[in-house]
Amino acid sequence: MKKEKSKKLFAGITSGFLNGLFGSGGGVVAVMFLRNILQDEKKAHASATLMILIMSIVSLVFYGLYGHIDWGTGLSFVPGGIIGAVLGTRFLKNMQSDKLKRLFGLVLAVSGMVMLLR
């Protein structure tokens, strides 16, 4: 039981640090940790959303205090983000776990390449 708590604390600290550093980047790591802990691909992705929400609220407060937020630009993405979130959760409901894992890996790989090449 103590090992499980230590694993969760490490996962939380790592995910939170990356979220604070990259602005929600901790969600990627959260999914990887949760996949290992929960042994369920869909629950890992859905549970990571809860972690990301809370970590993002904390990060938002500090980003705001440090003056790092462009409120107008950030908020202009919200309507599309809400639509995308609804669509994404509907796709998750019907997607097979192995396909979800591959799609997630593909999105990470493409995102990584874009970040490295730009």
Side-chain angles (χ1 to χ4, degrees):
M1 188 68 156
K2 188 174 181 178
K3 184 178 180 182
E4 188 73 18
K5 283 186 178 183
S6 296
K7 190 187 297 187
K8 289 176 181 176
L9 180 63
F10 178 76
I13 290 170
T14 304
S15 299
F17 174 78
L18 294 173
N19 190 77
L21 182 63
F22 297 129
S24 293
V28 172
V29 174
V31 169
M32 291 188 290
F33 281 120
L34 287 165
R35 183 185 298 141
N36 186 15
I37 292 168
L38 296 172
Q39 300 294 312
D40 184 305
E41 193 72 25
K42 290 181 181 182
K43 284 186 180 180
H45 285 268
S47 299
T49 303
L50 173 62
M51 290 176 63
I52 294 163
L53 172 65
I54 295 168
M55 292 183 301
S56 293
I57 290 170
V58 172
S59 296
L60 178 68
V61 169
F62 285 95
Y63 287 154
L65 289 173
Y66 300 144
H68 294 305
I69 300 173
D70 181 330
W71 291 96
T73 302
L75 290 172
S76 71
F77 284 84
V78 170
I82 291 171
I83 293 167
V86 170
L87 293 172
T89 57
R90 288 187 179 197
F91 276 102
L92 176 69
K93 180 181 176 184
N94 298 316
M95 187 172 281
Q96 295 174 345
S97 292
D98 61 324
K99 290 183 181 180
L100 177 61
K101 188 188 315 187
R102 288 188 189 114
L103 179 61
F104 186 59
L106 177 64
V107 169
L108 292 178
V110 170
S111 298
M113 290 304 297
V114 169
M115 295 298 287
L116 288 171
L117 299 174
R118 287 192 169 191

